[in-house]
Amino acid sequence: MKQDWRGILIRRLLLLIGACLLLGLITGEYAWALVAGLSAYLYWNLRQLLRLHHWLQRSGPDELPPESSGVWGEVFDAIYHLQKRNQRARGRLQAVIDRVQESTAALKDAVIMLDRQGNLEWWNRAAGTLLGLKRKQDGGQPITNLVRHPRFKEYFEQENYREPLELPSPVNDHVRLQFQLTLYGNGEHLMLVRDVTRVHQLEQMRKDFVANVSHELRTPLTVITGYLETLLDNVDEVNPRWRRALQQMQQQGSRMQNLLNDLLLLARLEAADYPADNKPVAVDLLLLSIRNDAQALSGTRNHRISLDADATVKLKGSETELRSAFSNLVFNAVKYSPDGGEIRIRWWADAAGAHLSVQDSGIGIEARHLPRLTERFYRVDASRSINTGGTGLGLAIVKHVLIHHRGQLQIDSVIGKGSTFSCHFPPAQVVRR
Ligand code: ADP
């Protein structure tokens, strides 16, 4: 039951004053009696306060409060219960933290918490094994000092963590790690690191297999197409019934050669993170020669191909790789535009970097195909591509060349109106004369 302590205290004080006055009446010393009474009361209150202070300062968590009566007893009990409640809540929170720490410690994947600047705050046991982090020395260190790969620095600084990053482990070159960063809270980073060595090896085996098969097929195919060519060179001596068959065999042979060349090029592109070269490439001249090739490819189909390129803007990278990528885009524009169609090639730079756009007035592509267009052998319409003689690998090559040059591909298309393929390169890749 809740007591009215205010009333009780006033009544007690009045009683004390009454007693003092009675003592004064008996002794004839009212003032002294009052002083003595009130001093005794004050002394008692101060003593209780000191006992409280002593208990709060020195007592262990389970020690009972000192015995006391009246309002002081109630204050002691209330504080004691409050402490007990806090202890229980703390215990529950600690149990949760222990469980989280135990479970993350048991994880095979590394979990690392970084602050806004990327300094290490906390990590689990696996982070020690995978990245070689040491609890004593490394706390508070910037993660980019501990994972020193330039790709990681770039990835960390770009702050676009949609795709994970794969790199060799800083402690063991044979271990392949996948890094995935997420921003949380107040701009802090949560980093998950997985060992993907096995998946990487399988992927590597698949790539090696494709590259080896393509390589092995090249020689027999060269021999076959060589003989076909010789036969067709002496077409008058060939039985007329075989002429058409030979022509078709030669066509399909060169199609296979293109396919093998593209597969080998893709294998080479995939094998490295960086372009084969890192010299400033005069993109305007490169585009001029591609434009001339495209005009030749168009032949009697009479496409109108315009080129508007800023000669002062050069791009750091490999000319051969960029030629493959840009010519794929321009040749596609020719292949997928009707006769006499208009194609516009532009190359320019601004604050966001350098940009190439290849705009055609062709058949266009439905929006649902756009996200899958750069997959190998992905075709919007299989029969149509076979007619154009494409390998289905062109845009996959474009994607890989752009990854090498830190670029991004953007595809905008309206069915029946045409498509625009744009490549955006960051300012770090651009050299201005
Ligand atoms: P392909 O060798 O078949 O042209 P790509 O990888 O170069 O292979 O292109 C993939 C598919 O994207 C093509 O089959 C085609 O359907 C579509 N495509 C590419 N460029 C264009 C374009 N400029 N206009 C319309 N469709 C295009």
Side-chain angles (χ1 to χ4, degrees):
M1 201 181 69
K2 233 180 149 187
Q3 307 224 38
D4 173 17
W5 282 106
R6 199 160 160 250
I8 294 174
L9 280 178
I10 291 174
R11 249 179 284 138
R12 280 194 186 164
L13 204 60
L14 286 176
L15 213 65
L16 177 74
I17 293 172
C20 291
L21 289 178
L22 195 65
L23 191 69
L25 189 70
I26 296 167
T27 57
E29 294 284 351
Y30 285 102
W32 283 116
L34 258 178
V35 167
L38 289 176
S39 301
Y41 189 58
L42 189 66
Y43 170 73
W44 183 77
N45 272 316
L46 284 176
R47 221 174 91 80
Q48 301 305 319
L49 193 64
L50 281 173
R51 287 173 74 199
L52 173 65
H53 180 252
H54 183 80
W55 174 61
L56 289 177
Q57 288 292 305
R58 312 237 172 106
S59 66
D62 290 322
E63 196 169 317
L64 288 174
E67 278 295 326
S68 184
S69 58
V71 71
W72 281 107
E74 198 136 302
V75 168
F76 288 167
D77 283 350
I79 294 177
Y80 179 68
H81 285 123
L82 200 68
Q83 269 188 340
K84 280 274 154 206
R85 256 206 320 271
N86 282 346
Q87 252 172 35
R88 278 197 296 272
R90 232 186 5 239
R92 276 198 300 272
L93 280 177
Q94 191 58 48
V96 173
I97 292 173
D98 288 348
R99 269 184 77 81
V100 171
Q101 288 204 338
E102 268 166 35
S103 52
T104 47
L107 273 179
K108 283 211 181 83
D109 298 346
V111 183
I112 299 149
M113 287 162 103
L114 308 164
D115 66 10
R116 284 167 71 110
Q117 283 75 39
N119 302 322
L120 286 169
E121 277 187 338
W122 179 88
W123 60 92
N124 68 348
R125 211 178 302 146
T129 330
L130 294 178
L131 298 174
L133 302 186
K134 294 189 188 68
R135 204 148 286 285
K136 285 203 185 104
Q137 292 110 291
D138 295 336
Q141 292 265 355
I143 185 72
T144 42
N145 279 4
L146 300 161
V147 185
R148 287 185 161 270
H149 203 288
R151 277 309 280 263
F152 181 78
K153 197 163 170 1
E154 257 173 48
Y155 177 68
F156 187 79
E157 282 167 4
Q158 69 174 356
E159 302 221 326
N160 168 14
Y161 307 129
R162 255 179 305 161
E163 297 288 324
L165 175 74
E166 249 191 69
L167 289 178
S169 157
V171 281
N172 181 355
D173 262 358
H174 301 294
V175 175
R176 193 84 184 168
L177 300 180
Q178 189 184 58
F179 294 79
Q180 175 75 70
L181 272 159
T182 319
L183 287 177
Y184 74 98
N186 217 355
E188 287 102 332
H189 302 76
L190 179 71
M191 186 161 90
L192 298 177
V193 185
R194 286 175 59 208
D195 181 346
V196 289
T197 314
R198 226 186 111 60
V199 182
H200 179 74
Q201 278 167 349
L202 285 173
E203 180 84 345
Q204 198 56 43
M205 262 165 61
R206 178 191 65 78
K207 284 179 194 164
D208 289 349
F209 177 74
V210 174
N212 289 340
V213 169
S214 314
H215 193 75
E216 292 299 325
L217 283 176
R218 230 161 49 163
T219 320
L221 195 63
T222 317
V223 175
I224 295 170
T225 48
Y227 278 121
L228 282 172
E229 223 164 273
T230 320
L231 281 173
L232 283 167
D233 280 347
N234 304 303
V235 81
D236 300 335
E237 293 164 28
V238 178
N239 185 340
R241 278 203 305 165
W242 287 103
R243 230 175 263 165
R244 208 176 124 63
L246 284 176
Q247 273 163 352
Q248 280 200 347
M249 280 159 84
Q250 197 198 23
Q251 252 177 26
Q252 293 306 320
S254 77
R255 215 170 105 75
M256 266 173 87
Q257 261 172 337
N258 289 341
L259 198 61
L260 291 184
N261 289 341
D262 278 1
L263 279 172
L264 279 169
L265 175 60
L266 253 182
R268 265 205 306 280
L269 287 172
E270 273 185 334
D273 275 342
Y274 293 96
D277 231 333
N278 201 25
K279 292 194 198 118
V281 177
V283 178
D284 59 318
L285 299 179
L286 179 67
L287 289 174
L288 189 67
S289 104
I290 293 175
R291 192 202 89 99
N292 294 340
D293 293 348
Q295 201 70 66
L297 176 74
S298 167
T300 53
R301 294 178 61 206
N302 273 331
H303 291 94
R304 282 167 292 140
I305 310 176
S306 69
L307 171 63
D308 172 11
D310 185 342
T312 62
V313 184
K314 293 188 173 190
L315 188 67
K316 274 194 272 176
S318 149
E319 174 157 358
T320 335
E321 289 181 15
L322 291 172
R323 179 182 288 277
S324 305
F326 295 170
S327 58
N328 265 310
L329 294 179
V330 178
F331 295 169
N332 272 351
V334 173
K335 285 193 290 187
Y336 300 108
S337 293
D339 296 1
E342 200 174 324
I343 293 158
R344 220 176 141 209
I345 310 168
R346 287 201 306 136
W347 169 249
W348 76 101
D350 57 23
H355 315 270
L356 168 88
S357 87
V358 180
Q359 187 181 4
D360 66 52
S361 54
I363 48 179
I365 309 156
E366 265 182 77
R368 69 190 165 97
H369 295 297
L370 296 183
R372 300 195 56 194
L373 226 48
T374 53
E375 285 174 22
R376 279 148 217 244
F377 299 115
Y378 185 83
R379 284 180 172 127
V380 173
D381 174 354
S383 60
R384 197 174 71 190
S385 283
I386 286 163
N387 289 340
T388 63
T391 59
L393 294 170
L395 291 179
I397 291 174
V398 173
K399 182 175 115 177
H400 276 91
V401 172
L402 291 192
I403 291 176
H404 273 194
H405 293 80
R406 312 282 174 267
Q408 275 184 338
L409 180 67
Q410 180 191 343
I411 311 172
D412 302 292
S413 191
V414 180
I415 200 105
K417 286 240 165 75
S419 322
T420 306
F421 287 75
S422 316
C423 307
H424 305 293
F425 299 94
Q429 290 295 122
V430 184
V431 180
R432 274 175 173 263
R433 210 188 303 153

